[in-house]
Amino acid sequence: MDVNASPSTRTPADGGSKLWVRFGIVAAAAVVVLLLLVLGSRWLVTLESVQEFLRTYPGHTPLPAGTAEGLPAWLGWQHFLNMFFLFLIIKTGWQVRTQQRPPANWTRNNKGLVKTRNPPKRISINLWFHLTLDALWVLNGLVFMVLIFATGHWVRIVPTSWDVFPNAVSAGLQYLSLNWPMENGWVNYNSLQLLAYFATVFIAAPLAIATGLRMSEAWPKKAAVNAVYPIELARAIHLPTMVYFVLFVVAHVALVLATGARANLNHMFAARSDDGWMGFWVFAAAVVVSAAAVVFTRPMVIAPIANLMGRVSR
C-alpha cells in the first residue's frame, strides 16, 4: 500500500487502522492516568486532614423521611431496555458518523398521520434505524420519568441537600483508593452515584435528545432559534454526549461487578435484596440479547421493518 497516497485514493481500511491506533493510545493514556490517580488517592487517605474529611462526609446523604426502601420491579425492565437501546444507539450513531456510502437508503411514505407539503428526503437506512431507536429510547425515558415521580423514587437520584457534593468527593476518593464506600444500594445510593445518575437522566439524556433533533431532517430549516442554536453547535455537543454515555456504562458496569456483583445485580434486575443468582442470570440474558441485537441488526435484517414505514432503495 502506498503510504503517500492522497486522501482520495486511500481505502476505508486506512481510516479504520488509524482509528484503532488512536483508540489504543487513548486507552493506554487512560490506564496510566487512572493508575496515578489510584496511587495518589491511596497516599491522600493516609493524611490526618483527609481522614477527618472522610469521617465528616462518609460518602452518602440520608434520604428524606418516609422514602420507601428497595427497588421496584419496573426498574429491572427499565435497566434492560435502557441497555438494549443504548447499545444499538451507540452502534448506529457511530455508523452514521463514519459511513462513507450507506448500504441502503430509506424514504418516508408521505401519507397517513405524518404528511408534509414537500416530498420527504431520502436518508441512509442506518440513520433511519438510529432515529427509530432514539424515538423508542425517548419513549422508554418518558415512562421512567412518570414512574419515578409517581412512586416517589425520584429522591434517590435527585440531590436534596448541599452536602451531597462533599460526600461525592469523599465517595470518589474512597473508590480511587480502592476502599469501597460503605453502602447498600437497596436502601440508598452513595452521593457520587446519585450525582452520576442525576447527570445522566436530567442532563445527558436531554442534551442527546435536543442535539439529535437539531441535526435531524425534522428540524425546521428556517426556525428563528437557528441563529443562536446552529447545527454545528449541536454536532459539537452530540458526539461528546455519546462518549459520556459510553464512559458511564463502562464505569457503571465495572463498579456494579466489583462492589458485590450478585447483590447489585439482584437489586437492579430481580428487585431482590439477597445474594442469590437470579439477578445475575437475568443480567446475563439481557447482555446476550443486547449483544446479539448489535451483531445481527444489519441492513438486510432491518430493511423489511423499514419498508413498513417507507421505501428502502439503493
Side-chain angles (χ1 to χ4, degrees):
M1 182 182 293
D2 182 6
V3 295
N4 296 315
S6 65
S8 60
T9 60
R10 290 175 185 159
T11 66
D14 296 330
S17 299
K18 289 181 178 179
L19 182 63
W20 281 109
V21 170
R22 290 173 188 158
F23 176 79
I25 294 172
V26 171
V31 170
V32 171
V33 170
L34 181 60
L35 180 60
L36 292 174
L37 287 173
V38 169
L39 293 174
S41 299
R42 290 185 68 83
W43 170 76
L44 277 175
V45 296
T46 65
L47 303 178
E48 179 57 36
S49 58
V50 175
Q51 292 176 7
E52 179 61 30
F53 173 79
L54 294 176
R55 286 191 290 269
T56 304
Y57 300 103
H60 63 270
T61 56
L63 292 172
T67 301
E69 182 179 301
L71 299 176
W74 55 261
L75 196 59
W77 54 258
Q78 277 283 326
H79 268 108
F80 164 68
L81 290 174
N82 269 314
M83 178 174 67
F84 181 82
F85 289 136
L86 276 177
F87 274 30
L88 289 171
I89 286 170
I90 291 169
K91 171 198 172 181
T92 56
W94 188 251
Q95 286 177 326
V96 169
R97 188 173 183 88
T98 59
Q99 70 183 6
Q100 296 183 349
R101 178 180 297 176
N105 295 294
W106 178 83
T107 307
R108 176 178 57 83
N109 288 328
N110 200 21
K111 59 181 70 174
L113 294 177
V114 180
K115 295 181 180 179
T116 56
R117 180 181 302 176
N118 297 320
K121 290 187 177 181
R122 187 175 65 170
I123 62 176
S124 75
I125 194 169
N126 287 335
L127 179 57
W128 167 83
F129 193 36
H130 184 68
L131 295 175
T132 302
L133 291 165
D134 285 343
L136 293 172
W137 179 63
V138 170
L139 178 61
N140 186 57
L142 291 175
V143 172
F144 173 76
M145 288 291 191
V146 170
L147 289 174
I148 63 168
F149 284 104
T151 61
H153 280 274
W154 64 270
V155 297
R156 294 173 63 94
I157 62 170
V158 176
T160 55
S161 63
W162 287 108
D163 65 354
V164 68
F165 296 104
N167 273 296
V169 173
S170 172
L173 191 56
Q174 292 174 65
Y175 278 128
L176 285 173
S177 63
L178 306 183
N179 297 309
W180 306 129
M182 295 298 294
E183 61 184 35
N184 181 358
W186 185 254
V187 178
N188 189 11
Y189 298 131
N190 70 54
S191 294
L192 189 59
Q193 287 178 299
L194 187 154
L195 290 180
Y197 297 152
F198 176 83
T200 302
V201 173
F202 296 102
I203 300 177
L207 276 178
I209 296 168
T211 54
L213 280 174
R214 179 64 182 91
M215 292 158 53
S216 75
E217 293 295 334
W219 189 271
K221 303 298 183 184
K222 297 182 180 180
V225 73
N226 291 357
V228 294
Y229 186 29
I231 193 170
E232 293 78 13
L233 176 60
R235 289 193 181 115
I237 296 173
H238 198 71
L239 180 62
T241 304
M242 183 194 76
V243 172
Y244 168 81
F245 275 111
V246 172
L247 295 176
F248 172 81
V249 169
V250 170
H252 182 51
V253 173
L255 289 175
V256 163
L257 297 180
T259 59
R262 279 191 291 173
N264 289 333
L265 292 174
N266 270 333
H267 297 170
M268 296 167 62
F269 287 93
R272 298 169 57 172
S273 180
D274 57 43
D275 289 327
W277 287 93
M278 176 64 73
F280 170 81
W281 292 117
V282 175
F283 168 72
V287 170
V288 170
V289 170
S290 300
V294 170
V295 172
F296 293 110
T297 49
R298 300 181 179 182
M300 64 178 297
V301 176
I302 63 176
I305 303 173
N307 263 321
L308 297 175
M309 306 179 218
R311 181 173 58 87
V312 176
S313 61
R314 289 290 182 181

